Amino acid sequence: MRKKKKGKKGYVGLKINMAKAYDHIEWDFLVAVMRSTRFSQKCKNLIFKCISYVSFAVLLNDSPCQTFSPHLGLRQGDHLSPYLFILCAEVFSGLFIKAKEEKALHGLSIARGAPTTSHLFFADDSLIFCRDSLEDAQAVNKILDLCQSASGQLINLDKS
């Protein structure tokens, strides 16, 4: 960050883009996230049925082939998908908050005495703010690796 006038510590801003964010969310991860919420069990079951009981058929020479069902991902255009995606993003956010609380990651403060910000999310884009130190870089890398392996989402390195 070039606008910093005083102090010895530098800061870094990272833009992270998730590749096909909706398409790669693992249903097991979504179920685990849903279990941790305060929604009633009936509501959780209904939501899972909405995403998992879909099937597709492809027309080949004007005749439908055998149906098949997906095993991961949220359907874009489904009215429920943005809310489920936000629930999954809350896990991502929680990891950054926990790292800040444990002082493994230091966010950016825009003014003296202002609270620090370590992350901002915009749909499939994330902005990460931290000190330009090896420790903060390792903390960010650990969070990103954990989120990718747990959720099934992948970072689009070409757009990040």
Side-chain angles (χ1 to χ4, degrees):
M1 304 275 181
R2 294 187 183 150
K3 299 292 180 188
K4 188 162 172 53
K5 303 234 187 261
K6 293 184 179 179
K8 296 179 181 177
K9 295 177 183 144
Y11 290 87
V12 175
L14 304 168
K15 180 203 174 263
I16 307 293
N17 179 278
M18 294 302 201
K20 298 184 179 185
Y22 278 71
D23 297 340
H24 291 285
I25 291 181
E26 295 279 348
W27 286 353
D28 291 340
F29 175 71
L30 185 57
V31 168
V33 170
M34 290 297 297
R35 280 192 187 121
S36 70
T37 66
R38 294 184 192 160
F39 291 116
S40 70
Q41 190 59 45
K42 184 177 179 179
C43 182
K44 292 175 192 179
N45 291 341
L46 182 61
I47 289 171
F48 190 68
K49 283 181 184 178
C50 286
I51 66 165
S52 62
Y53 287 109
V54 64
S55 62
F56 300 99
V58 178
L59 291 177
L60 184 63
N61 297 327
D62 293 327
S63 298
C65 296
Q66 186 177 2
T67 60
F68 61 93
S69 298
H71 298 285
L72 63 95
L74 299 173
R75 292 186 308 279
Q76 291 188 29
D78 184 337
H79 300 296
L80 194 56
S81 293
Y83 299 106
L84 297 175
F85 187 77
I86 289 169
L87 282 175
C88 293
E90 281 294 315
V91 174
F92 193 29
S93 178
L95 291 172
F96 281 101
I97 291 168
K98 183 179 178 189
K100 271 180 54 182
E101 288 171 353
E102 294 173 349
K103 306 237 186 292
L105 181 68
H106 304 84
L108 173 70
S109 179
I110 59 169
R112 206 169 310 140
T116 60
T117 301
S118 61
H119 60 285
L120 298 170
F121 297 150
F122 306 96
D124 61 348
D125 289 323
S126 305
L127 297 174
I128 315 288
F129 303 104
C130 63
R131 287 186 186 161
D132 68 345
S133 67
L134 180 61
E135 294 80 18
D136 278 30
Q138 288 172 334
V140 169
N141 198 36
K142 182 179 175 183
I143 292 169
L144 294 175
D145 286 346
L146 183 60
C147 283
Q148 287 185 100
S149 64
S151 72
Q153 292 184 305
L154 303 170
I155 294 174
N156 184 340
L157 297 176
D158 293 332
K159 291 185 178 180
S160 296

